[in-house]
Amino acid sequence: MAHFPTNDIMTLVGPAPRFDLAESFGPDLHLHDVLGPDDIPLGYGSTAGDPGLRAIIAERNGVAPDNVVVTMGGMHALFLVAFILCDPGDEAITTAPVFPLARAALETVGAEIRTVRLNFDHRYQPDPADIRAALSVRTKLVSLASPQNPSGSAIPPETVRAILDAMREVCPDAYLLADETYREAVYGDDPAAPSLVDLGPKVVSVASLSKCHGAPGLRIGWAITRDPVLRQQLILGKFSTVISCSAVDEALACRVLRHSHRSRHDHFAACLASTAAWIRQNADRVEWVRPDAGAICCVRLHSDRFDDAAVSRFYDELASHGIRVANGTWFGDEARVFRLGFGLLPLQDLEAALAGVSAALDKESMA
């Protein structure tokens, strides 16, 4: 019997704390925000995805609609890519820290995983030389995220180009998977970075409605590839697992993506500014990696103020205040680092929650 790996992030689906700073998305949309008067047929949809929805996704990513395959959430896309490209024993490269379910998709299909460590002090940026050292002729997939989860740090295109150059030399049949779930979760007037799928035919982009767009309850994601053979396998894989997505979900997804995101981007900007101010106020005890996009960032407790015991007590003290953050160990990082989700709560509640985090810092700091 195959076994899916366990991970601590499953606590997110348990009882909610008063202030949830562990979540990685912004406020949820409600049905009345997108519901329209049109009648929606409840038959089977197209396995590749509704043509109108694929056209909208394609336009936002600078590709043709035929390059898009709609999936049942981003995890479905991650799993299909791993299942198609990695036979048991094939090598796949990913990073640590990383969103645990992205790694789980590789583990579940039996890939041998080579892990490249990313460093807080280098803003969690992958070094192309480290990726190259991990490549071999058996490498079939390099799985990265930009912006990353848990840090919100984006990978510059020149870094991705250097990685692709190394892959062409060492493992020319391998693909680079770019999880771009947070790409459009920008702050205020900031423009969204172009999709990395434009950097070459071996780049596959995956994203969903969940993090940027406030609609995780609509189980809609997508994979984008310019490789017609891989696209056909993605369609066959989807047909063999779920046949098609819900017609209702796809119709509502079209409305979500046509919906103006300006108020959401303004909310993220205000919450980011509040978080930055809190970091400055507590700079003697914490530091952070300022995110490039997304509703998340990584915060680190200073080692000269928090030993291992104090770190553990800090998390316990947060829980006593009804506050939850995402322990760095969930993602393969050290416990001294935690992911702070600043985008979910209303600004007033975020500031109250950060005050509670300050109180926990006051109590548990060694100095």
Side-chain angles (χ1 to χ4, degrees):
M1 178 184 293
H3 295 277
F4 289 98
T6 60
N7 60 80
D8 292 334
I9 203 170
M10 288 183 69
T11 60
L12 290 178
V13 302
R18 181 185 177 197
F19 295 119
D20 197 346
L21 299 179
E23 274 298 2
S24 56
F25 49 84
D28 293 328
L29 291 176
H30 292 264
L31 192 58
H32 65 74
D33 294 324
V34 295
L35 193 61
D38 298 338
D39 186 31
I40 301 173
L42 298 182
Y44 284 116
S46 163
T47 299
D50 175 77
L53 177 58
R54 288 192 289 113
I56 296 171
I57 295 168
E59 182 178 5
R60 299 173 81 99
N61 287 272
V63 298
D66 281 348
N67 299 142
V68 178
V69 177
V70 179
T71 58
M72 290 191 69
M75 274 310 307
H76 189 210
L78 290 173
F79 174 77
L80 288 178
V81 171
F83 182 82
I84 293 165
L85 295 180
C86 296
D87 291 329
D90 284 341
E91 291 180 358
I93 294 173
T94 189
T95 63
V98 69
F99 179 54
L101 299 188
R103 184 184 181 94
L106 300 172
E107 293 175 339
T108 300
V109 302
E112 293 185 10
I113 300 176
R114 292 189 172 189
T115 303
V116 175
R117 298 291 310 182
L118 304 181
N119 191 292
F120 182 101
D121 294 314
H122 292 90
R123 300 191 70 255
Y124 296 108
Q125 289 298 312
D127 186 331
D130 292 338
I131 301 288
R132 184 187 182 92
L135 296 173
S136 80
V137 293
R138 294 172 56 205
T139 302
K140 296 298 176 63
L141 184 64
V142 177
S143 179
L144 303 174
S146 182
Q148 299 155 342
N149 185 356
S151 70
S153 184
I155 305 174
E158 56 269 24
T159 298
V160 178
R161 290 190 186 96
I163 293 170
L164 289 170
D165 287 343
M167 291 170 62
R168 278 190 285 269
E169 293 180 21
V170 179
C171 47
D173 293 331
Y175 290 77
L176 188 146
L177 172 63
D179 184 342
E180 299 188 293
T181 297
Y182 292 99
R183 183 178 67 84
E184 294 187 83
V186 297
Y187 310 124
D189 293 326
D190 290 355
S195 172
L196 296 176
V197 77
D198 192 44
L199 297 184
K202 291 290 187 178
V203 179
V204 184
S205 173
V206 168
S208 76
L209 293 184
S210 298
K211 307 298 186 180
C212 288
H213 305 291
L218 298 180
R219 300 308 303 145
I220 294 294
W222 52 87
I224 301 174
T225 175
R226 289 190 167 92
D227 184 328
V229 175
L230 176 57
R231 178 182 182 273
Q232 182 63 18
Q233 284 301 307
L234 287 167
I235 292 172
L236 291 172
K238 180 183 173 183
F239 183 79
S240 298
T241 52
V242 299
I243 301 179
S244 66
C245 293
S246 159
V248 175
D249 284 359
E250 289 191 330
L252 294 178
C254 289
R255 293 169 183 171
V256 168
L257 292 176
R258 292 189 188 112
H259 184 74
S260 171
H261 288 71
R262 181 52 197 258
S263 61
R264 190 175 191 80
H265 296 166
D266 288 345
H267 170 75
F268 287 159
C271 291
L272 177 66
S274 182
T275 303
W278 179 81
I279 294 288
R280 289 193 297 270
Q281 293 162 8
N282 292 276
D284 61 328
R285 298 179 291 185
V286 301
E287 56 190 328
W288 73 328
V289 173
R290 185 184 180 95
D292 297 306
I296 52 176
C297 63
C298 280
V299 179
R300 184 168 67 181
L301 305 175
H302 287 319
S303 58
D304 61 345
R305 300 293 297 273
F306 297 86
D307 61 14
D308 291 344
V311 170
S312 180
R313 292 195 305 269
F314 166 73
Y315 286 115
D316 292 340
E317 183 65 19
L318 285 181
S320 74
H321 286 274
I323 299 170
R324 177 168 59 193
V325 296
N327 191 313
T329 59
W330 294 5
F331 309 95
D333 209 337
E334 58 179 331
R336 194 176 309 282
V337 175
F338 60 89
R339 186 185 71 186
L340 177 68
F342 57 78
L344 175 63
L345 300 176
L347 181 59
Q348 183 175 356
D349 286 351
L350 171 64
E351 292 174 345
L354 291 175
V357 179
S358 294
L361 293 172
D362 290 340
K363 184 171 181 179
E364 302 306 333
S365 175
M366 295 187 302

